[in-house]
Amino acid sequence: MAILIDYIWQSTFCLFFFFGIYWVFLRNEKAFVFTRVYILITPILALLFPLMQIPVEFYKPDISLEQSQLFRALTIESMPEEVAGTFGLPEFTVQSTKLPVLLELKDYFLIGYLIIISLLAIRLFWQMIQLRLLQEKGWYQTSFKLKGNYFLIPTFGLAPIFSYFNKLFWDETQDLSLEEKDQIIKHEIEHIRQHHSWDVLYYQVLSIIFWFNPAIHLMRSALVDVHEYLADENVLKQTENKESYPKLIAKIAFKGMDLPIGNYFIRSTTLKRILMIKKTAKPNWFKLTMVIPLTVMLMALISMKTKVGVGFLLGTNTEKIEFIKEQLIASQDSIEIAIKVKKINNPKHYELIGPLKGDQLTAQLGELVYDFAEISSDEEYLKVRSLINTLRRNSTISKNYGEIPYSYVAKKRPAPEDASAWSKFVLDVISKEMSEKDRELNIRSSIQIEFILSKDGKITNPVIKQSFGGGVDEKLLEAIQSANAPKWTAGEIDGKKVDLVHAASFAITYSADNQIQESLHNFPQVLEVPIGQSARTYNGDEIFDVVENAPVPPGGMEGWNEYLRTNLEYPEDAKRAGIEGTAYVVFVVTKEGKIEQPEIIRGVSPSIDQEALRVVANGADWTPGKQRGREVNVRMRLPIRFKQSSSNDNKPSTIPADMVDQQAEPQGGMDAWNTYLKNNLKYPQEAKIRRVEGVVYLTFIVDKDGNIKEPEILRGIGAYCDEEALRLVENSPKWNPGKKDGEAVESRLRLPIRFDLEKSTSGIVPKPTAQFNEYLRKNIKYPTEARRNNESGSVIARLTLDKDGNIIKSAISKGISKELNEEVLRVLEKAPNWNVYVAGEYEVLLPITFRIDNIKNPPTHNLPHEVVVVGYSGNASKEKTFEYTTELTKVKLITQTRDKPILVLNGEITNFSSINEIDIKDVDKFVVGKPSPEEIAKSGRSAEKIIYIYTKANK
């Protein structure tokens, strides 16, 4: 609906603009043919201009409603929530959960629009019928005139003289001289000859469809005038007595029926026609030629679109739903909560983490909103906050501020008038608004805000760039715009104060007495390793993180380091404060070699971060990276070290990679390294079985001789992939050592090694045969005792296959209960073989899921070839209970639940048969809760609840 309203507004504006051109430049000019063509084509242009999209690089004014709050509100309201998926819940949601309504506001508008169109169409149809009746009434007296090629039809005084297509309706009751009759007939013949009826019908249809647009009715009236001017002009050319014709126009008045679909000799244009006839001036060619540039200007205003809208989203990078689904399913192994993901349009903030409300928490990260539910403990809450850090990179957005530059390009950057007062003010707000829960749990987080600082030093348009969470963020935005907030000094470019986009950030830590302390602008480095390959794009093309040929700066890395040494300026405030450190900058080198989207992923201080961004943004074009011989967009991550010189500094024996002039590299370059990995990487069998893939991040030292030593895992993915990555690095050929001041030095590097399951195992992993699947369906049973005890879940069997696919060994990798485990092993003992594509011995994992009454529990694995066994309890409505009643209380213990609860008697796990041995009078109390992982492990099965029974004797 928002898009439709915007289109109607823009097309209406266009038509009013065109009518304005007619009114100013054409209305009084005797260029009737030009004016007629103009009036006929401008409605089409008015409808087309809003649909045309001519992208331009420069900023231009825009009348579109896209930038308005109304458009944003209508867009969000009118579009259903796009739900990516629901994880940890019984159902999978794919559509909005809003309650249905019979009719919405837009439906009423549509119904009203269609009703009015119908009424107008009926009126036009009725006029056609009247015209037909009028034609039939005078048909027997009708004559065809060969000279003018028209039918002359009498109206018997029922209608004034008019023409319609090739029919001239004549009112013979008019008292006219022969000369007057001749002039009127010539006038109407001109209407017929120039096909004016088509113009009238064309505007009749437009007036019906766009009845709500006043401009269409104004243009229609102007067209009627032009038709009369054209006919009058040609009659005057054929008339000797030119004074008699205006008198004739004034003489004749309307009589009878007036049908708007005809061309009438006399209408309300009488005075206009007489004035136009008496006008002797020639057309003003300046006015006529102005029509063309004004039309082009209107097209530029409407159709040319700056690639982004001011204040709107500049771009978004959101992972595919399948990728996010894999992440969230994987998270269920360590955190048992419900997660729903949905996509929203036009988020105001880069991200916003809400407070914990009951057992629910909502986090907006880019275009994605994650709804976390069933958070039942502080431990789970901390895990959710940790998971949010991992999910941040799934969707990132960037905002456009039009011609307003970022502060890092300013020579004098914005700054608080009193930095200490500003820091104290912000920290006081955070301390006041922080929830007790976050304070108790010592939540450590960072907050970054972005805003426009006007040339008057006023903060406007603040948004959250990195969310602290707990409801603190929006309170902080309100505070910094209040009258009590400390003042800022505006930035300057070329000595003039200007509006600038600026970012301020804070990292929150705690002192020993749990008081909030500031660690300004010191962001912790977060290593995030997604599952699978990134799907981020730039201008519609994929952005690669790893390519065969990496982008190269002008002059190589030596040239880049020289550029940094020459252009970096150590910020004065950082010098005075003694601030040092390394700013880590990420940016995209496009396939054209341009540096785009620079941002800080780990900062030092505002001034140092801005200086690092400035230097990177102003760098010369790079040689673009290549993948499979094709130039591609590549995301680069580079550290920029800020260190103040000191004569007392001791030169370290091992130099970080960012401090050498020439980095260490494999002998033969990255092509040789990639070849080494391809020929030597052995995908661990465990990772194949568990379908583990991703990137292992390592760090190691390259000594002066090019030997690799002290390799360590920075971030692993498990399943023996980490060990394989270490093996590859330890056994790799020698490297070319790094150099500092022309000498070989010992340096430390970081390196990613990707494990891609699809490339490694395509067509290799064994699969069950059809005979195997059929055998399991026919022979596996749901043990009666397991059904009676309500035991359900997934039993994971580990199968060892020989080169022919025969099962030579089977064991339980993850069990549920004795009965279910034994049933799985019994069936597998005589099961048929599997398909083996490459000869060898394999281990595979087979999930066999048991369900009671076909109730789907949350998935506990991500393994293929799942076999599902459904059993029915038969007594789901019955409850095994015992009751103890006194005058004050009534106790009822229910043992029939979806999962059989764990029973603990006086601190020892026991079975339910012991209930019958308990004398209820000896019971002191019952406690029902959620079992801990240790209790689940000790009991040997999973359960939702645990029941503690304490007897009086144990008190």
Side-chain angles (χ1 to χ4, degrees), residues 69-85:
Q69 291 297 325
L70 171 65
F71 184 89
R72 185 189 297 269
L74 287 174
T75 301
I76 295 174
E77 179 65 26
S78 62
M79 295 189 67
E81 296 171 344
E82 183 181 342
V83 177

Side-chain angles (χ1 to χ4, degrees), residues 133-177:
L133 293 174
L134 193 62
Q135 180 180 336
E136 291 178 353
K137 188 173 183 64
W139 184 249
Y140 293 104
Q141 284 80 26
T142 298
S143 59
F144 183 74
K145 305 296 182 180
L146 292 174
K147 184 178 180 181
N149 196 28
Y150 67 92
F151 290 94
L152 184 65
I153 303 173
T155 65
F156 307 108
L158 297 176
I161 300 169
F162 70 97
S163 61
Y164 181 68
F165 289 101
N166 65 340
K167 299 176 180 64
L168 195 162
F169 292 86
W170 184 263
D171 182 8
E172 70 280 2
T173 63
Q174 293 282 353
D175 184 16
L176 301 171
S177 66

Side-chain angles (χ1 to χ4, degrees), residues 15 39 43-44 47 113 115-124 127 198-224 260-261:
L15 204 53
I39 293 175
I44 303 299
L47 295 174
Y113 169 76
I115 288 174
I116 295 176
I117 277 189
S118 302
L119 293 175
L120 293 175
I122 291 171
R123 189 183 72 167
L124 178 62
Q127 290 167 355
W198 285 110
D199 301 359
V200 174
L201 193 60
Y202 164 67
Y203 258 90
Q204 278 286 343
V205 174
L206 289 178
S207 298
I208 290 175
I209 297 175
F210 303 103
W211 56 263
F212 52 83
N213 190 340
I216 203 75
H217 304 289
L218 294 173
M219 295 292 278
R220 177 184 164 194
S221 176
L223 180 66
V224 171
I261 57 176

